Amino acid sequence: MGLVSAKEMLEKAAAGGYAVGQFNINNLEWTKAILQTAQKANSPVILGVSEGAGKYMCGFKTVAAMVKAMIEELGITVPVALHLDHGTYEGAVKCIKAGFSSIMFDGSHYPIEENIAKTTALKNACDVLGLSLEAEVGAIGGEEDGVIGGGELADPKECKMVADLGVTMLAAGIGNIHGVYPANWKGLNFDVLTAIHEAVGGKPLVLHGGTGIPDDMVKKAISLGVAKINVNTECQLVFQEATRAYIEAGKDKQGKGFDPRKLLAPGAQAICDKVYEKMELFGSIGKA
Ligand code: 13P
């Protein structure tokens, strides 16, 4: 099928009361693990690429070429969107040129007028090329590639202004934070989410910081219009844990254990298991 825009999969998810997972990729092994899991689960999937991860993987062109080739070589038939995560304006332009099928422009740190102007310019380009566009209002807390957000609660009126530009989906701060939630975290603010959902008239909403949100809150967020949920840290944690266990058990020293393919295999399997678990929670299994 090749890469697709995230528009159709998110509109179906919003109408069907489930969410599509965005899982961030960092290398070939992660990408392969997520694609194979989506295929096994018969679920649509969004591969998220931060600017830092894009740089690490030799640039957005390399990433797009790798993902497109993998879809073909692995025989992936479920819908896959390749999405820039928290892009700058310049990063968004690069990803559009590199062949991504979906873009996030994070203008949440600009004054709303500038956020709207930049989002509008990218929206026009994405429309011409048939790409989906995610905009953000109200910074998500925590750290994302060195960018620290303050965990704001988005203003529903500003959300409406940005949603009305015709973007495909909207990320809005509702008390969510990237990375592991601190012990004193107050939880998602469902009053704000409800107000945003009403203000944007059913536009698919995106929940960032999907790591560590209790299952009941995730389900409630989906029932209030969240159609895309981003998960990154949780995959990093299980990858690290599985790799460490393999090394601590001395398996890297047995037989051909020094083979890097063997060393990375337990981590890749842990990502497959985590992604499947999340797809079950989000309700996207069988929805391809
Ligand atoms: P976590 O790292 O908290 O899972 O958040 C991922 C994310 O929102 C990427 O944009």
Side-chain angles (χ1 to χ4, degrees), residues 112-113 116 137 155-166 170 199-200:
I112 188 71
E113 297 75 22
I116 286 179
V137 178
D155 175 350
K157 284 196 210 90
E158 290 188 356
C159 291
K160 179 174 165 42
M161 282 158 80
V162 175
D164 284 352
L165 300 175
L170 185 72
V200 302

Side-chain angles (χ1 to χ4, degrees), residues 22 24 85-86 144 177-179 208-211 230-233:
Q22 172 193 304
N24 284 50
D85 189 28
H86 289 284
E144 181 79 5
I177 302 175
H178 289 123
H208 282 248
T211 291
N230 295 3
V231 178
N232 181 25
T233 305

